[in-house]
Amino acid sequence: GESQSVVGTVRGREQALADEFVVLTAHLDHVGIGAAIEGDAIYNGAMDNASGIATLLESAKVVAAARPKRSVVFVAVTAEEKGLLGSRYYALNPTVAKDGIVANINMDMFLPLFPLKTLMVLGLDESDLGDDVRAVTAAMNVGVQADPEPQRNRFIRSDQYSFVREGVPALAMKVGYEEGTPEATIAADWTRERYHAPSDDLDQPIDRGAAADFTKMIGDLCVRVANRDTRPQWRDASFFKRFAKPATTENTVDRPDAR
C-alpha cells in the first residue's frame, strides 16, 4: 500500500536566505487497528502523535504571520511507526534543495500531562540550536534540560534522526520533568498504561496550558532559527557531527567553520 506525507512551505522574506530551509516535522500516522485491549481495538494516537500534528499546524500560523528571513517547510510525515519511513524518504528526496535544509525541529508525543516548567530537549547539546532553544525558554521563564533518560536513545528513535543522518542539525522536544518527582511518575505511568494502547485517546488527562505553552515555544523557536544570521552547526564534540556534509562552494560563506 501507499501512504502520503503532507508538505507546506512558507517562503522566506530575505532573498539571500530564502533558499535555505528550516524543516518542522511531526508524524501523522499511528498504529491504527491492533490487538483489542478491554474490547477496544482502535489505537487512537491522541498524544502519539495528533498532539505533534496540532503543534505543527499552529506553528505554521505563527511562521506565516512572522514571515522570517529563511523559508520554513512543514512536513506531516507518514509511516513513522513503520520505522521512520516517511521522514527518511523526505530527507533523501525533499521538495526543496537538499543542501539548503539547515535545521529540523520535530514534534513527537510531547506529553502535556503537567505544567510546562521545564522543556526536555533531545539533542540539546549536539548543535548550536541549543543556544536558540535556551533563549526561547528563558523568554518564557521555562527551564531546559537534556534527556534525563539517555539510555532510552530517544534522539535517534523519531523522525529527527532521518535528518541527522543527512547531516542536518536537529532537535526534538517534550514537556520535561526531574527524576524522582511526581511528574516523572505521571510520565512513567503514561508510558506503561497508554503508550501504543487504545487508551491514548481524548478521554485522558491533558494539561491544555502546557500544550499551549509548548506550541508557542515551538513557533517562537522556528522563527528564531529561521532568522539566524548563520546556519546551525554541530558542536565539535558531537557524535553526530560525523554525518555533516562538506560545504559546497555556494554555502561556504554561511559556514565559516566548514571543513
Side-chain angles (χ1 to χ4, degrees):
E2 289 189 357
S3 184
Q4 281 73 39
S5 295
V6 181
V7 183
T9 305
V10 172
R11 192 76 184 157
R13 72 171 188 269
E14 203 158 282
Q15 189 172 356
L17 293 175
D19 288 330
E20 293 185 2
F21 302 89
V22 178
V23 178
L24 264 67
T25 47
H27 73 87
L28 52 73
D29 63 307
H30 189 56
V31 176
I33 297 174
I37 296 177
E38 296 182 7
D40 189 354
I42 303 297
Y43 287 63
N44 300 278
M47 292 287 186
D48 184 16
N49 185 36
S51 65
I53 289 291
T55 293
L56 186 78
L57 294 172
E58 291 299 315
S59 297
K61 292 181 186 177
V62 171
V63 171
R67 194 86 195 282
K69 296 175 183 178
R70 284 183 182 79
S71 298
V72 181
V73 186
F74 302 88
V75 190
V77 296
T78 190
E80 187 269 351
E81 303 289 4
K82 297 290 188 183
L84 316 184
L85 300 184
S87 59
R88 183 70 181 140
Y89 183 86
Y90 187 87
L92 289 170
N93 306 276
T95 54
V96 297
K98 189 173 178 183
D99 64 0
I101 296 176
V102 302
N104 170 242
I105 300 169
N106 184 47
M107 291 81 71
D108 186 2
M109 200 176 80
F110 65 87
L111 295 183
L113 304 173
F114 35 77
L116 177 58
K117 298 175 183 175
T118 305
L119 185 70
M120 182 197 304
V121 184
L122 312 182
L124 176 64
D125 295 316
E126 303 298 341
S127 76
D128 64 6
L129 289 171
D131 297 338
D132 296 301
V133 80
R134 284 184 170 97
V136 169
T137 52
M140 291 181 64
N141 198 29
V142 169
V144 66
Q145 66 178 175
D147 190 347
E149 301 174 88
Q151 70 277 10
R152 293 175 65 184
N153 288 324
R154 287 184 283 196
F155 186 55
I156 64 171
R157 286 174 50 200
S158 188
D159 291 306
Q160 67 275 359
Y161 191 54
S162 296
F163 294 88
V164 170
R165 287 174 64 183
E166 297 308 304
V168 177
L171 297 174
M173 282 149 286
K174 298 176 182 283
V175 176
Y177 54 82
E178 300 296 334
E179 287 297 281
T181 61
E183 290 81 5
T185 301
I186 290 169
D189 289 348
W190 189 92
T191 300
R192 185 179 66 254
E193 295 166 5
R194 298 188 190 268
Y195 176 64
H196 282 198
S199 57
D200 180 13
D201 59 15
L202 291 178
D203 186 25
Q204 63 178 304
I206 297 170
D207 190 312
R208 295 181 186 277
D213 289 345
F214 180 89
T215 298
K216 172 175 169 42
M217 203 164 279
I218 294 291
D220 290 353
L221 175 64
C222 182
V223 170
R224 181 183 174 90
V225 174
N227 280 331
R228 280 177 53 138
D229 292 333
T230 58
R231 284 182 173 223
Q233 299 289 324
W234 293 105
R235 302 284 190 201
D236 284 341
S238 174
F239 172 87
F240 302 101
K241 191 173 194 286
R242 68 195 62 204
F243 292 122
K245 302 292 188 280
T248 57
T249 306
E250 60 267 27
N251 69 22
T252 304
V253 174
D254 297 316
R255 298 178 61 187
D257 66 340
R259 315 270 193 272

